[in-house]
Amino acid sequence: MSALIAALIILASLATAYLSSIFGMLGGLILMGILASILPVASAMVLHGLIQLTSNGYRAWLNRRDVDWRIVASLLTGNVLALGGLAFVSFAPDRTMVLLALGALPYIAWALPKSLALDVTKRPIGVFAGLVVVATNLLAGVGGPLLDVFFQRVSLTRHQVVATKAVAQALGHISKIIFYGGLASTASANDWPASWLLLPAMAASVTGTRLGKRVLDRMADAVFFSWTQRIMLVIGAILLARGLYLLA
């Protein structure tokens, strides 16, 4: 790996952690898109999982007083079901499929009718959310945009959304690390990143998370929810364009 690619990964870790700390999502989507474009898919999955586990874990700690642990418990049940089911599936998506799936996710989330009322605070919906989000996380690399669907019709503040999703996403990334780092039939020791790259990337994600927390504290709830959707659709369009270009 060249020094330029390593520097790009570290800088992306800082910037995407900053974005995720503000909106509770999107950063992981961008980071996965970058990693999937420059690394083999399995290596990108493991590195993304480790960086995002650090970012989400630290974000959850910073907002720990706002975590809704009842939602987390429901999501964890779904996580275990998804991980157990996919452990018996031999599947390795290629780069184009990953980029197209990542780009489509924000539009799938946006297109779902509000009448479905996917309220993650309801236990059956929470279990379902944990199952489909982790399944998407394992197959496409990121489930954050899909997870956000289940937080659109809830009576929570921006801090509660960011904090609870941080814990949920951390659990999802643990599942991804376990799956691609050893559980998947295609897992290899070569898929694990070198410490000289991983440690600076994790440190950058912590720094970005702390900087973003300051912005979140000053932001209004209405602005938070409005910008989340706008940025999500723009990033989705960029990733779709990249995937279609590779497909062509």
Side-chain angles (χ1 to χ4, degrees):
M1 180 183 297
S2 69
L4 179 60
I5 291 179
L8 174 62
I9 291 174
I10 293 170
L11 180 61
S13 299
L14 172 68
T16 55
Y18 174 77
L19 185 60
S20 288
S21 191
I22 299 172
F23 296 106
M25 59 175 292
L26 302 174
L29 179 67
I30 299 172
L31 182 61
M32 190 64 225
I34 293 173
L35 295 180
S37 297
I38 60 179
L39 297 174
V41 171
S43 299
M45 293 288 192
V46 174
L47 180 57
H48 181 269
L50 290 168
I51 294 173
Q52 284 292 290
L53 175 59
T54 303
S55 175
N56 283 288
Y58 187 56
R59 185 162 70 251
W61 171 256
L62 289 178
N63 297 282
R64 59 191 178 278
R65 295 180 181 177
D66 296 301
V67 176
D68 190 320
W69 291 104
R70 293 173 300 173
I71 296 176
V72 171
S74 298
L75 292 169
L76 179 59
T77 302
N79 291 357
V80 173
L81 292 174
L83 185 60
L86 289 173
F88 300 99
V89 177
S90 179
F91 179 77
D94 62 21
R95 180 174 299 169
T96 301
M97 181 182 294
V98 170
L99 290 172
L100 289 174
L102 291 176
L105 280 175
Y107 289 91
I108 293 172
W110 175 73
L112 286 175
K114 293 182 179 181
S115 59
L116 289 177
L118 296 176
D119 185 347
V120 75
T121 61
K122 299 176 182 178
R123 182 167 176 77
I125 299 297
V127 173
F128 175 70
L131 194 156
V132 298
V133 169
V134 165
T136 303
N137 211 338
L138 294 178
L139 298 178
V142 179
L146 190 57
L147 178 62
D148 193 59
V149 176
F150 298 91
F151 281 86
Q152 293 299 308
R153 301 292 300 277
V154 295
S155 299
L156 300 174
T157 67
R158 66 189 186 282
H159 283 93
Q160 289 174 315
V161 170
V162 169
T164 305
K165 286 178 63 180
V167 177
Q169 289 171 312
L171 293 173
H173 290 303
I174 290 174
S175 300
K176 186 166 59 180
I177 294 167
I178 292 173
F179 188 78
Y180 282 95
L183 193 59
S185 60
T186 56
S188 167
N190 294 327
D191 294 329
W192 286 83
S195 59
W196 64 264
L197 172 62
L198 177 61
L199 295 179
M202 293 171 70
S205 72
V206 169
T207 302
T209 298
R210 177 164 286 279
L211 293 174
K213 175 70 162 62
R214 299 176 184 176
V215 179
L216 176 67
D217 290 341
R218 296 195 296 267
M219 183 180 292
D221 284 347
V223 174
F224 169 82
F225 287 108
S226 175
W227 276 102
T228 295
Q229 185 177 79
R230 294 177 186 177
I231 298 175
M232 181 171 62
L233 295 176
V234 170
I235 296 303
I238 294 172
L239 294 177
L240 277 175
R242 172 64 174 165
L244 291 172
Y245 173 78
L246 292 177
L247 188 64

